[in-house]
Amino acid sequence: MGIPKIHPPITNASGPLSVTEEELHALGRSGAGAVVTKSMTHCPREGNPEPRLAPRINHDVGSINSMGLNNLGYKRYAELVPALKQHGKPVIASVSYAPCGHDLPLEEQYLVIAQALEEAGADMLEINLSTPNLTGIPIATDPENVRRVMEPLKRAIRIPMSVKMPPYNNSLALFEEVASLLVELEVDAVVTMNSEPNALDIDLKTRTKLIRPRGGYGGLGGPAILPIALGEVHRFYRYFRDRGAEIPVWGCGGIATPEDAVKHFLAGASAVQVGTALLWEGPGIFERLWGGVERWLREHGFSSVEEIIGTVRDA
Ligand code: SIN
């Protein structure tokens, strides 16, 4: 089964404004090309203690969060899928893992959730292997974990599955290992990247850390991470292209303006996701971004995003 058409190729990133029923319907009514749920876990979770989100840090360069996978639990999201599909756009269920009061192992939790969401009618799954906020070490920094989670899913699930990855900019050897595994596993798409792990910021007036969980460390998102995200997108795009692997790359990280989205497309993204700026601006952002991307394309003599994907030139 092929990847559903995402039009416009701009969606929310799983997380901001995608937890509750109301938030998900607001995304359904918005100009986003799909609805992506908050990453769901086997048990409902309240998440980490407050304060756990600094939405605007240091001259608005971004946000830091350590939400701790606050979500309604997979059973509730499965119930919501049929109504969400009425908005006439793909519903992408983000699937994640957190320890939860029973001893169902990592890969079985992913599998149970994925099967339930497939049965509920989700159009696609985004397998989140990259949250930095439980231990500080995203699951996909260990290739064995990627295999352990994805092999059972590939055997059992028929709808398309993307994988959401952490940044690999500080370990290119690890990047190569994981990217080659994703080719072997024939994943349907790669979403790169989750927030930059283990960031910290300080309120100078009170001399306190901005968030409380995990000693004040959380995931950095927003404009500050745009260049890192572009690097990740381009690296995955080139890796797959050079090996003839037809795995689309979806860019996530740092998009607040139409030009940011265009940079992602030039670097190799075939769709993009918006997190921090969605938090800042609300679901109206999708129309603004897409309107600006269409304008940029027209002004530069292009008639579609497809014409510019991966066409960045060397300096
Ligand atoms: C969180 O809920 O802590 C963020 C989830 C993620 O970054 O994957």
Side-chain angles (χ1 to χ4, degrees):
M1 191 188 281
I3 292 181
K5 175 108 183 114
I6 311 288
H7 186 79
I10 305 182
T11 77
N12 65 298
S14 171
L17 305 187
S18 57
V19 178
T20 66
E21 180 173 1
E22 294 71 27
E23 288 171 343
L24 290 166
H25 279 293
L27 290 169
R29 290 188 297 272
S30 77
V35 174
V36 185
T37 71
K38 170 75 182 175
S39 290
M40 60 193 74
T41 52
H42 200 266
C43 303
R45 285 173 60 82
E46 284 185 9
N48 287 338
E50 308 265 2
R52 59 191 185 183
L53 170 66
R56 279 184 189 271
I57 62 158
N58 196 25
H59 316 293
D60 295 349
V61 294
S63 64
I64 295 183
N65 90 85
S66 182
M67 305 303 286
L69 292 171
N70 56 308
N71 78 97
L72 308 175
Y74 80 97
K75 288 186 182 154
R76 182 66 189 131
Y77 290 109
E79 286 168 3
L80 295 179
V81 167
L84 289 172
K85 284 174 69 104
Q86 309 269 321
H87 294 288
K89 58 179 74 167
V91 174
I92 303 177
S94 173
V95 181
S96 194
Y97 162 82
C100 94
H102 55 60
D103 53 9
L104 211 56
L106 173 81
E107 65 277 18
E108 282 182 41
Q109 290 200 29
Y110 275 101
L111 186 58
V112 168
I113 301 170
Q115 282 173 321
L117 271 292
E118 175 174 48
E119 202 162 305
D123 298 284
M124 185 166 178
L125 303 177
E126 180 177 287
I127 308 301
N128 182 356
L129 301 173
S130 50
T131 180
N133 294 334
L134 295 185
T135 61
I137 305 171
I139 287 181
T141 50
D142 179 350
E144 266 319 299
N145 280 337
V146 178
R147 186 182 290 287
R148 186 175 153 199
V149 172
M150 292 310 296
E151 278 186 344
L153 289 175
K154 284 302 288 187
R155 279 196 294 273
I157 300 296
R158 292 289 149 259
I159 57 175
M161 286 182 289
S162 60
V163 284
K164 184 158 179 190
M165 307 311 270
Y168 292 100
N169 54 314
N170 60 3
S171 176
L172 297 184
L174 179 59
F175 165 80
E176 294 259 336
E177 206 180 328
V178 171
S180 103
L181 183 54
L182 296 180
V183 174
E184 179 197 328
L185 291 166
E186 296 179 350
V187 299
D188 297 294
V190 169
V191 182
T192 184
M193 54 184 243
N194 208 315
S195 54
E196 179 71 30
N198 301 317
L200 178 85
D201 200 5
I202 295 169
D203 181 338
L204 279 184
K205 279 196 223 88
T206 58
R207 301 190 303 281
T208 49
K209 298 170 182 174
L210 295 188
I211 61 169
R212 173 167 307 160
R214 293 193 50 254
Y217 289 91
L220 178 64
I225 65 167
L226 178 67
I228 300 173
L230 292 174
E232 297 297 308
V233 166
H234 196 51
R235 202 176 299 116
F236 271 113
Y237 173 82
R238 282 196 324 183
Y239 187 94
F240 296 146
R241 184 200 59 194
D242 293 350
R243 286 154 186 82
E246 287 181 19
I247 302 178
V249 179
W250 291 2
C252 180
I255 296 172
T257 69
E259 290 74 19
D260 300 333
V262 169
K263 286 183 183 178
H264 269 265
F265 295 130
L266 291 169
S270 45
V272 294
Q273 300 186 341
V274 186
T276 296
L278 167 62
L279 199 61
W280 290 348
E281 198 171 322
I285 193 169
F286 299 106
E287 280 177 26
R288 177 175 73 79
L289 291 177
W290 180 235
V293 170
E294 285 192 305
R295 204 164 38 251
W296 189 95
L297 290 170
R298 259 194 323 274
E299 285 170 5
H300 291 81
F302 300 106
S303 53
S304 73
V305 163
E306 284 71 29
E307 290 168 47
I308 64 166
I309 294 170
T311 61
V312 63
R313 302 181 188 140
D314 288 335

